[in-house]
Amino acid sequence: MAPNLLVLGGTTEATALCRAIANAGLRGTISFAGRVVRPVRHPLPQRVGGFGGAAGLADYLRAHNITHVVDATHPFAAQMSRNAVAACADAQVPLAALTRAPWAPVPGDGWTTVPDITAAVVALDRAPARVMLAIGRMNLPAFAPQPQHFYLLRLVDPPQTPPPFPDHHIMIDRGPFRTDSDRALMADHKIDLVVSKNAGGTGAYAKIAAARDLGLPVIMIDRPALPRRLELHDVQTVLDWAVHAPTDLGV
Ligand code: 3Y8
Ligand code: NAP
């Protein structure tokens, strides 16, 4: 059967993969959670919204005759990745993750690495500082216990509810970002500490390079553990896999 791919998207790599799928004349659909008002336009048909857990995703795979699933979600989208492993095993559909290596510190970086968001909040238990908190909207409530800081927040869409700390400035912007503009942004707001997820890739790295240029410390949040699955690291390898991988797990 000709490949019919489902790409679980929401990253720069997913966008590049969808362009390559369309250019190769392959069938595919890109899926978004619906986290932001206007996901970036794609050359492939797209669907938006949850599937209804692993069972809902398995049903979707069968109903749409999906032959391969590519999990190109963000490394912090752990629930989606867990669901993809379970659903593909259930529906007997090959799964590959298109994932990017974590960032590693380079000379000049002043990172404090923490295992998760909760540990990052604990690491902010210190005298008032001016913090760039560029981890998006969904994790903001976790930082309520540290209201003593000024927070520079960068969000894709305006928040429905005000952030849980009094002293903040909200930037509405979507990546990928540039180092020079992030450096200017940090200088303008007199930032003295950056909190970041270890997203990997290029789209979110600007603030890390800008912090290094300005000699600012970074609290770097490690990725959640993900289940074992085939992990690929570039678009062409994914296309080769999709065209040559057996479309059932039997062989
Ligand atoms: C909805 C839809 C593309 C994809 C671009 C990448 C790069 C730019 C940098 C900072 C960090 C952050 C955030 C970020 C980046 C790319 C990529 C990436 C970080 C969009 C998109 C969707 C989302 C969801 C959104 C989260 C948020 C996280 C903002 C699209 C623009 C902070 C992650 O308001 C919300 O609810 C936003 C939620 C999940 C994390 C969070 O917890 O808030 N991404 N981002 C996807 C969906 O509905 O399925 O593609 O336009 C995509 C991108 N955002 O095609 O060019 O590849 O990572 N996204 C982080 O890294 O910490 C911003 O400000 O410095
Ligand atoms: P998550 O916590 O792992 O997923 C929570 C639920 O959201 C999933 O169980 C699923 O709902 C739904 N979902 C997530 N990604 C989806 C997708 N691509 N298509 C359809 N449904 C999806 O995910 P998240 O961290 O909220 O991330 C949501 C989206 O934003 C993902 O596409 C991810 O790539 C993108 N993103 C996330 C981050 C981040 O920091 N988390 C950063 C950049 C981009 P059901 O269980 O109902 O199926």
Side-chain angles (χ1 to χ4, degrees), residues 31-42:
S31 173
F32 291 102
R35 283 271 182 275
V36 299
V37 173
R38 280 179 323 288
V40 73
R41 284 300 311 151
H42 273 272

Side-chain angles (χ1 to χ4, degrees), residues 7-11 31-33 35 47-54 57 72-74 76-81 83 100 135 138-139 197:
V7 178
L8 302 174
T11 58
S31 173
F32 291 102
R35 283 271 182 275
R47 65 165 300 288
V48 180
F51 294 96
L57 176 53
T73 60
H74 190 277
F76 279 71
Q79 187 58 56
M80 186 70 257
S81 294
N83 289 357
R100 55 225 188 164
I135 57 167
M138 299 194 310
N139 304 111
K197 292 174 180 172

Side-chain angles (χ1 to χ4, degrees), residues 12 15 33-35 40 74 100 136-138 154 174 207:
T12 310
T15 299
R35 283 271 182 275
V40 73
H74 190 277
R100 55 225 188 164
R137 174 178 59 105
M138 299 194 310
R154 182 152 60 189
R174 128 189 348 230
K207 60 187 179 288

Side-chain angles (χ1 to χ4, degrees), residues 77-207:
Q79 187 58 56
M80 186 70 257
S81 294
R82 280 193 289 272
N83 289 357
V85 169
C88 289
D90 177 19
Q92 296 278 290
V93 173
L95 167 69
L98 172 54
T99 181
R100 55 225 188 164
W103 299 319
V106 299
D109 277 333
W111 292 6
T112 301
T113 301
V114 295
D116 52 30
I117 300 267
T118 306
V121 176
V122 170
L124 284 177
D125 187 5
R126 61 175 75 182
R130 295 182 65 81
V131 181
M132 179 174 183
L133 189 58
I135 57 167
R137 174 178 59 105
M138 299 194 310
N139 304 111
L140 290 186
F143 289 83
Q146 307 294 354
Q148 69 274 24
H149 303 302
F150 163 82
Y151 289 99
L152 173 61
L153 305 174
R154 182 152 60 189
L155 307 175
V156 177
D157 296 318
Q160 280 96 344
T161 54
F165 18 74
D167 193 7
H168 64 266
H169 174 77
I170 294 176
M171 287 270 303
I172 300 298
D173 199 357
R174 128 189 348 230
F177 301 103
R178 292 167 45 89
T179 302
D180 52 0
S181 46
D182 272 10
R183 201 170 39 234
L185 181 70
M186 292 172 181
D188 291 350
H189 289 276
K190 301 180 177 50
I191 295 301
D192 49 36
L193 175 62
V194 175
V195 178
S196 174
K197 292 174 180 172
N198 194 328
T202 54
Y205 191 69
K207 60 187 179 288

